[in-house]
């Protein structure tokens, strides 16, 4: 198994035994059909035991697997006639954000998302998927154009957070994120956001104000990365697993809080195990929500978005909202 994570070790060991037995059977012309069948059955049981009971920390590691499909991977699989657009018309073309015009089942849409690199060189060029202000302004330019011409907007969220360097702060990082939040709230077209990997901090939220926020089963979404939280709380980034458990960052947690509307299933072991299957699952859910939202007027879409975010969260005790 590629991209093996520590908790997947027993599965990898068992798969190696199965493959070895098959190889020996062919080489020695021995029939191991029954033994292989029993091992395959045990493999399926073990697979269910592991992936049906993942902890928050384990899901965090799955969300960060290097070979997990990226925004461009999904764009190429889900949409047709994609034309990539570039630049923010103000400073530069931030490669940590990609987007453009495409068609979903023949319907013109604007699609935009964070883009991680595929190798070290690509990651350096794309700042490991962490945008500068010009990246957020680039995304906003695409979305403003979509709003102007009545095209639905689809965003893919996959970033550890906005670029944390002084160059980004000097060029107005916080203002760029804040402007995206404000303008996305007021668009009169359907806006659907999908967390496909790691959704971290304001860098994720800058593409996350939608009528529908969807999330892949093994994605995470948080106000700060678990590593950052661990650095602040315990002065030790190595305690990220402990932070992930405490922060309630999984799709199930966020659906319970009303932050996401729907969890999109993944193949056993994560989206990287079967990217084509995952893309088709996303496409079906996207189309269903797009059909529902397309029936609403611009005013109704804005009101729908307002009510969604006003309803986010739960109070643990009535005393917190009812002063005595």
């Amino acid at each position: 198994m590629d991209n093996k994570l520590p908790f997947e070790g027993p599965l990898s060991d068992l798969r190696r035994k199965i493959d070895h037995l098959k190889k020996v059977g062919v080489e020695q012309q021995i029939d191991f059909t029954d033994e292989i069948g029993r091992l395959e059955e045990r493999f399926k049981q073990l697979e269910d035991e592991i992936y049906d009971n993942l902890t928050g920390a384990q899901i965090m590691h799955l969300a960060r697997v290097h070979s997990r499909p990226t925004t461009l991977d999904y764009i190429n699989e889900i949409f047709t006639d994609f034309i990539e657009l570039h630049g923010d018309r103000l400073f530069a073309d931030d490669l940590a954000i990609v987007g453009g015009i495409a068609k979903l089942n023949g319907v013109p849409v604007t699609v935009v998302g964070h883009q991680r690199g595929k190798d070290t060189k690509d990651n350096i060029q794309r700042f490991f998927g962490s945008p500068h202000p010009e990246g957020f302004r680039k995304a906003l330019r695409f979305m403003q154009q979509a709003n102007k011409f009545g095209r639905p907007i689809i965003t893919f969220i996959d970033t550890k957070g906005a670029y944390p360097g002084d160059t980004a702060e000097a060029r107005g990082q916080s203002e760029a994120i804040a402007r995206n939040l404000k303008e996305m709230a007021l668009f009169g077209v359907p806006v659907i956001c999908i967390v496909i990997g790691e959704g971290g901090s304001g860098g994720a939220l800058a593409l996350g104000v939608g009528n529908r926020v969807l999330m892949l089963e093994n994605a995470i979404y948080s106000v700060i990365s678990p590593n950052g939280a661990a650095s602040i709380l315990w002065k030790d980034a190595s305690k990220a697993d402990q932070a992930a458990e405490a922060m309630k960052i999984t799709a199930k947690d966020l659906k319970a809080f009303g932050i996401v509307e729907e969890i999109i299933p993944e193949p056993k072991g994560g989206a990287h195990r079967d990217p084509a299957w995952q893309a088709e699952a996303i496409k079906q859910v996207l189309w269903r929500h797009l059909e529902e939202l397309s029936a609403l007027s611009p005013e109704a879409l804005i009101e729908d978005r307002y009510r969604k975010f006003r309803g986010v969260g739960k109070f643990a005790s009535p005393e917190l909202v009812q002063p005595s």
Side-chain angles (χ1 to χ4, degrees):
M1 296 172 67
D2 60 338
N3 296 284
K4 182 181 71 175
L5 297 171
F7 64 87
E8 296 176 310
L11 281 174
S12 299
D13 293 341
L14 188 53
R15 176 52 62 191
R16 279 195 294 270
K17 290 179 182 178
I18 294 171
D19 292 341
H20 177 70
L21 202 57
K22 289 179 178 178
K23 180 180 179 181
V24 171
V26 171
E27 292 176 347
Q28 303 296 328
Q29 295 185 343
I30 301 173
D31 185 5
F32 289 125
T33 302
D34 292 340
E35 291 83 351
I36 292 173
R38 285 194 292 269
L39 289 176
E40 291 284 8
E41 184 176 349
R42 174 55 187 154
F43 183 90
K44 180 65 170 62
Q45 292 173 346
L46 186 59
E47 191 177 48
D48 290 341
E49 290 172 10
I50 290 174
Y51 294 120
D52 290 346
N53 298 282
L54 292 173
T55 66
Q58 289 170 336
I59 290 174
M60 175 187 70
H61 291 296
L62 268 180
R64 292 175 171 178
V65 167
H66 179 70
S67 60
R68 194 172 173 87
T70 66
T71 292
L72 283 176
D73 291 329
Y74 287 128
I75 287 175
N76 292 330
E77 287 285 340
I78 294 171
F79 304 92
T80 59
D81 303 307
F82 175 61
I83 301 174
E84 186 174 358
L85 305 177
H86 297 274
D88 67 341
R89 302 283 177 87
L90 292 170
F91 183 78
D93 183 28
D94 188 343
L95 298 182
I97 293 285
V98 296
I101 304 168
K103 289 182 179 179
L104 177 62
N105 289 340
V107 175
V109 298
T110 287
V111 57
V112 59
H114 304 96
Q115 180 63 31
R116 296 178 287 105
K118 290 289 190 179
D119 52 37
T120 301
K121 181 181 178 181
D122 196 20
N123 262 319
I124 291 172
Q125 290 178 327
R126 297 187 184 278
F127 304 105
F128 292 84
S130 295
H132 284 69
E134 52 269 24
F136 296 120
R137 292 172 181 141
K138 171 183 177 179
L140 181 59
R141 181 171 78 85
F142 298 167
M143 293 188 287
Q144 287 171 330
Q145 183 195 72
N147 189 56
K148 177 179 180 180
F149 292 104
R151 288 193 300 270
I153 297 167
I154 297 168
T155 73
F156 290 90
I157 297 169
D158 187 17
T159 182
K160 286 181 169 61
Y163 188 78
D166 56 357
T167 54
E169 295 299 331
R171 295 200 291 271
Q173 187 76 287
S174 59
E175 185 277 338
I177 293 172
R179 185 174 296 277
N180 277 31
L181 303 184
K182 175 187 174 183
E183 297 217 19
M184 287 186 77
L186 298 174
F187 287 146
V189 296
V191 183
I192 303 174
C193 311
I194 310 169
V195 184
I196 60 173
E198 182 170 7
S201 192
L205 194 58
L207 298 185
V209 183
N211 297 90
R212 302 289 183 270
V213 179
L214 315 174
M215 202 165 167
L216 294 192
E217 182 180 2
N218 295 316
I220 59 174
Y221 199 17
S222 58
V223 69
I224 186 173
S225 73
N227 306 71
S231 296
I232 293 171
L233 294 175
W234 300 294
K235 311 300 181 186
D236 185 356
S238 68
K239 294 185 177 181
D241 284 7
Q242 186 177 341
E245 294 296 335
M247 290 169 64
K248 305 297 182 184
I249 61 176
T250 69
K252 289 182 180 178
D253 294 326
L254 296 172
K255 189 172 188 299
F257 291 134
I259 296 172
V260 302
E261 278 70 41
E262 186 170 349
I263 300 171
I264 303 175
E266 294 191 26
K268 291 287 184 184
H272 55 292
R273 300 297 181 200
D274 194 342
W277 184 96
Q278 188 66 76
E280 183 60 29
I282 293 174
K283 182 177 182 179
Q284 291 179 13
V285 174
L286 263 181
W287 182 246
R288 172 161 45 81
H289 284 285
L290 184 58
E291 284 188 311
E292 294 173 2
L293 292 171
S294 295
L296 301 180
S297 67
E299 296 75 18
L301 286 166
I302 295 171
E303 179 66 17
D304 174 80
R305 211 172 297 130
Y306 172 80
R307 290 187 180 279
K308 173 202 163 36
F309 283 93
R310 286 288 291 174
V312 164
K314 290 185 178 181
F315 290 99
S317 170
E319 286 75 23
L320 295 176
V321 291
Q322 296 291 338
S324 58

